[in-house]
Amino acid sequence: MTKPQRVAIYARISKDRKGQELGILRQEAACRELCARLGWKVHKVYPENDTSASTTSKRKRPAYAEMLRDARDGVVDAVVVYSIDRLTRRITELTSFLEEQKEHGFSFATTEGEDTATASGRMILTIKGAVAQQETERMSERINSSLLQRREEGRPHAGGPRVFGFDPDSGFQRIVPEEVKLIRRGYDMLVGSPARTPGDVARLWNGAGARSPGGTAWSIQKVKRVYRSERTGGIITYKGQDIGDSVYPHPLTRAEWTTVQAVLDGRATPSAQGSGKRKHLYSGFLKCGYCGSTMRVQWATIQGRTFRRTLCHSGQVGHNGELGCGKVSRSYAWIEEQLNAVIEASLKELRPRPQEAPAEDLTRPIAVLEERIRVLRQRWKDGNMEDEDYFDALGHLRTTVQALRSRESAAVVRRTHRVMDTLTVWNDDSAENLERRRVVVGMVVEKVEVFSVGRGRRKPPEPDSIRITRSHADP
């Protein structure tokens, strides 16, 4: 068998907090030394820094996936790693890798001298992989045991997002006195007599100049989030279970935290059936013309008259992190009528698209090209073809196959998607068709800025009381 001429070096290290990649460089140097000793030529290095390969990790390894893909396609003809646990710490992934090697015929070596050419060598490699997996699982067990012990001792987990009332650099061990004073004043308002609302607490905190952990103004939901957090009451949990109280200072006692939960639960109302779904065609598109906040659309009853209105809510945080100005409250019906006319006019200007011809069958041409690639690869592996000629031919064939597959995929999409006239979709104003009509709106309108028209007006509003920004999408 000819010596590999295009070797891939895969180097990985699990943790590199300083980001200096020293471990990666050491592994690469050792792998290059091995390749020089074997007479193999290095083609490319695939580094994976600060990336775990254990069974507990959910992060993807793009460099590993690229290396394996290049080995399948014949771009590289050998893979070299420092040790088997640098390649993977999962026995299933190692087994899959060995199957890929057997199927595609690329060489494999480690600086520790593992041999995959024999059954005994593959068995030893699999045993080492199982040992590496066991090591990571035992490490995970020790870490989980240590975390549980720490929390049972009353020391909370130091990670997670910042919670209002705690020093962000203390790992929830120190409090911010000014913020704790606001939390306790809010607590007295919520449980006092007469009881106040989370909205009152939000206005208090905003008036005091306090900002949320995200640097924005306080809203009702953000206030509730502070009082719903177990950390506010010094309660330590582990995997969802209450296991004790924190030994460090915290804004509220456990009893006070429990009391405020009862208050918040008592104020909550069950969601109506179907809540969370859009009920109004233009909700989300309407923006306050003064502060840019997304306007609400809701039913209102004033002086015995029930109608829909859209308003800028002064308790809602806008796009700039500030609360809405509350300057705009308008009847929704007139705005909806104006926008409907704009949408219909835009749709009627559309020209009907010609019907496409039946799609061509590309199955046979693709199969022929794939067979040519297999024959070409075998000739190159047998040493009957120069590297330069092989990779030039391979690149040309793969580009042609990809182009044919793209044409085939586009034809499938055109055949399987039922094409409907956009104007027909728009004219169906049933409740079930609301989301599809909103898609049509998004094709024509990006946003609609709404301005105030004053109070007590009897005549229709001026057209320039709304400003429509057209979308660049093609309906």
Side-chain angles (χ1 to χ4, degrees):
M1 184 175 179
T2 59
K3 290 183 178 181
Q5 299 298 306
R6 302 178 70 83
V7 178
I9 293 179
Y10 178 75
R12 182 191 64 81
I13 190 168
S14 298
K15 292 199 178 291
D16 183 14
R17 290 187 172 88
K18 295 184 178 180
Q20 297 178 348
E21 299 189 2
L22 299 180
I24 292 289
L25 295 176
R26 286 193 296 269
Q27 292 179 37
E28 180 184 343
C31 291
R32 285 186 179 276
E33 182 181 346
L34 173 63
C35 291
R37 191 165 62 249
L38 296 175
W40 295 3
K41 295 182 180 180
V42 177
H43 171 65
K44 186 176 180 180
V45 178
Y46 299 80
E48 204 98 71
N49 194 48
D50 199 23
T51 304
S52 174
S54 69
T55 55
T56 59
S57 175
K58 296 181 180 179
R59 291 180 60 186
K60 294 183 178 180
R61 293 194 289 159
Y64 175 82
E66 181 186 2
M67 177 269 294
L68 197 56
R69 183 170 58 251
D70 288 347
R72 292 192 197 105
D73 295 342
V75 177
V76 297
D77 54 4
V79 174
V80 175
V81 296
Y82 182 78
S83 62
I84 192 61
D85 61 352
R86 296 303 89 199
L87 182 71
T88 182
R89 285 182 177 269
R90 305 182 187 191
I91 189 64
T92 55
E93 198 169 54
L94 175 60
T95 303
S96 175
F97 177 83
L98 294 177
E99 290 295 328
E100 294 278 4
Q101 184 204 5
K102 182 179 178 181
E103 179 180 353
H104 298 284
F106 57 87
S107 301
F108 175 70
T110 75
T111 61
E112 297 180 346
E114 280 87 355
D115 178 23
T116 59
T118 64
S120 298
R122 290 192 293 272
M123 180 190 70
I124 294 174
L125 199 64
T126 303
I127 292 174
K128 285 189 174 183
V131 171
Q133 176 171 318
Q134 183 199 32
E135 180 183 346
T136 61
E137 291 176 352
R138 291 181 61 186
M139 185 183 301
S140 176
E141 290 175 356
R142 290 195 299 269
I143 291 174
N144 287 333
S145 177
S146 174
L147 290 175
L148 177 59
Q149 181 181 0
R150 174 187 176 89
R151 297 182 191 184
E152 287 176 341
E153 293 172 352
R155 295 182 294 167
H157 178 51
R162 159 165 150 72
V163 176
F164 188 67
F166 292 92
D167 187 335
D169 300 321
S170 67
F172 297 98
Q173 297 182 16
R174 296 191 302 272
I175 57 177
V176 180
E178 295 79 8
E179 295 180 358
V180 171
K181 287 181 181 179
L182 291 176
I183 292 175
R184 296 208 59 83
R185 286 183 62 186
Y187 169 79
D188 293 337
M189 293 171 64
L190 292 172
V191 303
S193 180
R196 311 296 289 275
T197 67
D200 296 323
V201 177
R203 283 186 283 274
L204 168 69
W205 292 1
N206 286 323
R211 307 294 282 180
S212 70
T216 59
W218 286 100
S219 64
I220 294 175
Q221 293 303 321
K222 292 177 182 178
V223 169
K224 288 182 178 180
R225 200 172 297 132
V226 171
Y227 288 105
R228 288 292 193 186
S229 172
E230 289 91 349
R231 294 187 186 273
T232 302
I235 300 171
I236 297 179
T237 60
Y238 180 75
K239 294 185 177 180
Q241 300 295 320
D242 183 350
I243 60 174
D245 297 323
S246 173
V247 297
Y248 302 114
H250 37 85
L252 300 179
T253 66
R254 174 184 282 266
E256 290 171 336
W257 184 85
T258 304
T259 300
V260 82
Q261 302 314 300
V263 171
L264 294 176
D265 290 341
R267 293 189 58 85
T269 56
S271 299
Q273 185 176 3
S275 64
K277 296 181 180 179
R278 297 282 189 182
K279 302 178 180 65
H280 309 284
L281 182 59
Y282 295 105
S283 59
F285 292 98
L286 305 181
K287 308 291 181 180
C288 175
Y290 303 101
C291 67
S293 299
T294 301
M295 299 181 65
R296 296 185 181 182
V297 180
Q298 59 185 211
W299 286 96
T301 301
I302 299 177
Q303 296 180 348
R305 186 171 63 93
T306 300
F307 62 98
R308 285 182 297 172
R309 67 171 179 171
T310 179
L311 70 154
C312 175
H313 198 284
S314 59
Q316 179 172 312
V317 178
H319 69 286
N320 57 355
E322 300 294 339
L323 294 176
C325 63
K327 293 181 179 180
V328 182
S329 179
R330 298 274 303 273
S331 172
Y332 177 76
W334 181 84
I335 297 175
E336 183 180 48
E337 181 182 344
Q338 302 301 308
L339 294 178
N340 285 347
V342 171
I343 302 294
E344 290 176 9
S346 298
L347 296 180
K348 289 178 180 178
E349 292 175 358
L350 295 179
R351 296 179 180 178
R353 298 176 180 176
Q355 188 173 4
E356 297 184 4
E360 56 184 328
D361 186 5
L362 301 175
T363 305
R364 179 61 180 170
I366 291 175
V368 171
L369 290 173
E370 289 178 339
E371 179 61 27
R372 290 181 61 186
I373 290 175
R374 283 193 289 269
V375 172
L376 186 71
R377 183 177 293 140
Q378 189 60 47
R379 287 184 57 196
W380 177 69
K381 289 180 179 179
D382 293 341
N384 298 325
M385 193 174 188
E386 295 295 331
D387 288 353
E388 184 177 356
D389 295 336
Y390 166 68
F391 287 106
D392 285 345
L394 179 64
H396 173 71
L397 290 174
R398 290 178 62 188
T399 300
T400 306
V401 169
Q402 184 61 39
L404 291 177
R405 288 197 180 278
S406 298
R407 286 166 54 187
E408 185 180 48
S409 299
V412 170
V413 170
R414 288 193 296 268
R415 287 197 304 269
T416 56
H417 283 68
R418 187 161 68 100
V419 180
M420 291 188 65
D421 179 62
T422 309
L423 189 57
T424 303
V425 174
W426 172 254
N427 289 331
D428 180 5
D429 59 357
S430 62
E432 297 78 10
N433 196 47
L434 179 64
E435 289 303 323
R436 298 179 68 187
R437 296 187 78 207
R438 285 178 55 82
V439 172
V440 176
V441 173
M443 294 177 178
V444 180
V445 174
E446 180 181 335
K447 66 177 180 179
V448 180
E449 296 172 278
V450 183
F451 299 89
S452 176
V453 294
R455 295 186 177 183
R457 297 177 62 91
R458 295 295 181 183
K459 61 182 180 180
E462 291 80 2
D464 60 359
S465 65
I466 61 174
R467 184 187 300 156
I468 302 173
T469 301
R470 295 297 190 104
S471 174
H472 298 296
D474 179 14

